[in-house]
């Protein structure tokens, strides 16, 4: 009995600690420092869709008019040290705010997988909700609202048409050709005025990022001096010296279509 007050104060202390921790987690978002630059991450359906194991209506890989160009993954406010802020405010995604952009978003910013990615603070939602809540909310003080975030990404995407730039340079989708990584990087550098960042999966281009200052002028994705430029760019990407840009084969035309079952959105969760 004599220990009761000590036990009570220990429990009170524990409760206080738990409350303080959860409070800290909640305000963590608003305390993240301002980002340094924007990265516009683009994904290559020809590579990404090879991973499709089941279909659902929201998956761009499963459409009959599925994308044959790079599509948008996200517009990310990043730090120069390779990290990034995330989930910066409680501004949750609202489809109504981007209703006038839906046609373009479905075409140029489709999800290429099924299921609902996590949103901030424990929820789940569509791909766009994930991108806005995790990344978009951190683009303050440059972008303050959801509509401007999506519109800005679409505008950058069409202004710097990476698929067009590569086609112009002779780097077209192919299941037999391999292209020099340095050549692909140079083609984009020459057209955009800054170096991109590439990532690959099994030697195939999976993503290309373009980077921008806060006024949306292009900047190098990695800040480096020119001496070892090509080597460093290659070493920072997950790509080999020769890369492929596979053709996207619509799932409806694939020989193994039977192996790609259709799921309802609920089943795909
Ligand atoms: P991020 O890389 O933007 O932080 O996270 C992407 C999240 O969205 C992941 O949870 C991923 O499963 C989901 N997701 C849904 N559709 C796509 C897509 O088309 N591409 C990528 N990369 N992720 C997608």
């Amino acid at each position: 009995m004599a220990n009761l007050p000590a036990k009570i104060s220990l429990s009170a202390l524990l409760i206080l600690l738990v409350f303080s921790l959860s409070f800290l987690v909640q305000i963590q978002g608003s305390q993240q420092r301002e980002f340094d630059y924007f990265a516009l991450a683009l994904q290559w359906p020809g590579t990404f869709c090879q991973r499709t194991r089941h279909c659902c209506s929201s998956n761009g890989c499963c459409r009959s008019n599925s994308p044959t160009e790079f599509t948008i993954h996200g517009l990310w406010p990043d730090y120069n040290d390779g990290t990034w802020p995330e989930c910066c405010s409680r501004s949750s995604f609202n489809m109504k705010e981007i209703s006038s952009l839906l046609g373009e978003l479905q075409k140029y910013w489709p999800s290429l997988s099924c299921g609902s990615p996590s949103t901030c603070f424990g929820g789940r939602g569509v791909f766009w909700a994930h991108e806005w809540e995790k990344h978009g909310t951190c683009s303050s003080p440059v972008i303050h609202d959801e509509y401007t975030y999506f519109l800005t990404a679409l505008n950058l995407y069409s202004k710097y048409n990476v698929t067009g730039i590569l086609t112009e340079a002779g780097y077209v989708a192919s299941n037999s050709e391999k292209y020099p990584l340095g050549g692909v990087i140079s083609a984009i550098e020459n057209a955009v005025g800054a170096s991109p960042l590439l990532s690959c999966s099994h030697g195939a281009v999976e993503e290309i990022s373009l980077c921008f200052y806060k006024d949306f002028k292009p900047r190098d994705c990695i800040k480096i001096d020119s001496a070892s430029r090509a080597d460093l760019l290659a070493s920072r990407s997950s790509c080999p010296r020769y890369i492929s840009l596979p053709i996207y084969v619509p799932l409806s035309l694939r020989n193994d279509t039977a192996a790609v079952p259709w799921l309802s959105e609920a089943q795909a969760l």
Side-chain angles (χ1 to χ4, degrees), residues 43 48 73 76 110-113 117 127 130-131 134-135 207:
Q43 49 190 359
F48 205 95
H73 177 169
W76 301 334
S111 169
L112 299 180
S113 49
F127 185 33
H130 170 90
E131 292 301 315
K134 180 175 174 188
H135 302 285
E207 296 217 338

Side-chain angles (χ1 to χ4, degrees), residues 43-222:
Q43 49 190 359
W44 180 247
T47 304
F48 205 95
C49 295
Q50 284 175 356
R51 286 206 289 268
T52 307
R53 293 291 166 264
H54 54 254
C55 270
C56 58
S57 57
S58 61
N59 185 343
C61 296
C62 305
R63 292 184 201 145
S64 52
N65 61 342
S66 40
T68 50
E69 303 188 332
F70 280 91
T71 57
I72 302 173
H73 177 169
L75 179 63
W76 301 334
D78 283 347
Y79 294 130
N80 286 326
D81 66 5
T83 65
W84 57 87
E86 50 183 63
C87 300
C88 292
S89 78
R90 284 199 161 266
S91 166
S92 52
F93 177 77
N94 180 356
M95 190 72 91
K96 282 198 193 118
E97 288 191 31
I98 52 166
S99 54
S100 61
L101 301 175
L102 282 184
E104 282 191 281
L105 288 172
Q106 264 148 13
K107 197 163 170 203
Y108 304 121
W109 197 334
S111 169
L112 299 180
S113 49
C114 292
S116 304
S118 59
T119 50
C120 296
F121 315 110
R124 287 194 163 270
V126 295
F127 185 33
W128 303 323
H130 170 90
E131 292 301 315
W132 162 248
E133 292 192 15
K134 180 175 174 188
H135 302 285
T137 57
C138 301
S139 37
S140 183
V142 180
I143 295 172
H144 297 281
D145 63 277
E146 193 186 306
Y147 174 80
T148 313
Y149 173 72
F150 286 97
L151 182 65
T152 305
L154 286 169
N155 285 341
L156 290 171
Y157 173 81
S158 66
K159 182 168 181 188
Y160 301 98
N161 178 352
V162 169
T163 317
I165 292 169
L166 294 185
T167 305
E168 189 89 344
Y171 302 126
V172 294
S174 163
N175 285 338
S176 52
E177 291 293 320
K178 290 220 187 258
Y179 302 119
L181 175 63
V184 169
I185 291 175
S186 296
I188 297 173
E189 267 180 344
N190 292 339
V192 171
S195 63
L197 189 64
L198 274 73
S199 71
C200 290
S201 166
H202 304 290
V205 175
E206 182 158 76
E207 296 217 338
I208 293 185
S209 293
L210 301 181
C211 298
F212 301 92
Y213 292 106
K214 292 178 190 175
D215 60 2
F216 299 109
K217 293 209 171 77
R219 60 155 258 176
D220 293 345
C221 286
I222 306 168

